[in-house]
Amino acid sequence: MYPAVVAGAFRRYATYRVATAAGVFTNTVFGVILVYTYLALWEARPGLGGYDQAQAVTYVWLAQALFATLAIQGGGCEVELMERVRTGEIAVDLYRPVDLQLWWLANDVGRASFQLLGRGVVPFAVGALFFPTALPGEPAVWAAFTVSLLLALLVGFAIRYLFALSVFWLLDGQGAAQALMVTGIFCSGMTLPLNAFPGALGEVVRVLPWAAQLQVPADVLMGETAPLGAFAFQAAWAVVLLAVGRLVQSAATRRVVVQGG
């Protein structure tokens, strides 16, 4: 059943061709703007965060490729889940003979798969074609990056699922969505690589789960961290967050209030 959910979500997002094309254009334009900003910053501060200019450029294009794929600022399956909780339609979902968390994870995997292929590949390819990058040539590094990316997807889903479950108590998802957007953009490294954050702030953000979404896969791709250590960090957060999500889900579904009575 779950592979069918993955395939169905992929097809569903593939129908929005104009939105996908607009997303590709937006990510490419923002990528170009950020590249020149980063080049100026790294010109003034060589070696910032342990990166050279080519690595900084690579980081920009990887971030643009993964922005929608991992729904770093939100916009994934949690949007629909929050709405279903708000309207009370979640009561119908709970009667279905499927696991709620696995159902939404499968849905998110299908969405992310399309976003990576439909919206992420083109900006990344444009960046690699027109700007100096630090992409590896060894297949083993790309294999390690693929594993890291899958773990990043699990962590990202687990974070967003927890935010979505908060609507069982809040009864509206607007505040949770805004909080998800702010923490996602800042703590994942979308604004600036977490390696470049100074002092205690940098030490804190690099151990938060958002670091597993972008910073860790980027470092694996560019050979800045040992893959096994990166996998352990990401897997630990994935297990913890999914387990917490399971507990919160259990507590939430014991007190379902269907809107309207």
Side-chain angles (χ1 to χ4, degrees):
M1 178 181 295
Y2 297 109
V5 175
V6 172
F10 186 98
R11 290 195 300 269
R12 175 185 173 188
Y13 280 87
T15 61
Y16 300 104
R17 297 184 180 89
V18 175
T20 300
V24 169
F25 177 78
T26 301
N27 285 126
T28 304
V29 170
F30 269 96
V32 171
I33 294 171
L34 286 172
V35 161
Y36 283 109
T37 303
Y38 274 36
L39 288 175
L41 178 59
W42 261 260
E43 182 71 27
R45 295 285 303 278
L48 179 63
Y51 288 166
D52 58 27
Q53 283 189 330
Q55 289 175 312
V57 170
T58 304
Y59 185 93
V60 168
W61 291 113
L62 182 61
Q64 294 304 307
L66 299 184
F67 180 74
T69 302
L70 301 180
I72 288 175
Q73 74 165 12
C77 69
E78 79 284 351
V79 175
E80 184 178 356
L81 177 54
M82 287 178 182
E83 181 63 15
R84 294 186 72 81
V85 174
R86 187 188 70 81
T87 61
E89 292 176 282
I90 192 67
V92 177
D93 299 339
L94 294 173
Y95 274 107
R96 291 174 177 156
V98 294
D99 182 88
L100 188 68
Q101 189 181 48
L102 289 178
W103 172 277
W104 287 104
L105 175 58
N107 191 294
D108 205 53
V109 168
R111 177 205 60 79
S113 300
F114 174 76
Q115 294 289 17
L116 178 62
L117 297 174
R119 183 168 170 174
V121 170
V122 173
F124 191 78
V126 169
L129 183 62
F130 292 102
F131 296 92
T133 55
L135 297 177
E138 301 83 3
V141 177
W142 285 101
F145 170 70
T146 301
V147 174
S148 182
L149 184 57
L150 292 173
L151 291 171
L153 174 60
L154 281 178
V155 174
F157 165 78
I159 292 171
R160 289 180 284 110
Y161 190 70
L162 278 171
F163 272 87
L165 291 177
S166 70
V167 181
F168 275 99
W169 288 270
L170 300 175
L171 302 183
D172 186 84
Q174 290 299 316
Q178 291 296 319
L180 179 62
M181 179 181 68
V182 172
T183 54
I185 291 293
F186 183 79
C187 296
S188 70
M190 277 298 301
T191 306
L192 191 69
L194 300 181
N195 293 344
F197 279 38
L201 175 61
E203 294 176 4
V204 170
V205 293
R206 285 192 290 272
V207 298
L208 294 177
W210 288 273
Q213 291 184 274
L214 177 56
Q215 185 66 60
V216 172
D219 284 341
V220 169
L221 182 65
M222 294 185 289
E224 290 295 315
T225 188
L228 292 180
F231 299 161
F233 175 78
Q234 292 177 292
W237 271 119
V239 169
V240 168
L241 291 172
L242 289 172
V244 172
R246 178 72 61 175
L247 292 174
V248 174
Q249 172 186 305
S250 178
T253 53
R254 285 199 299 268
R255 63 169 306 283
V256 172
V257 176
V258 177
Q259 299 295 334

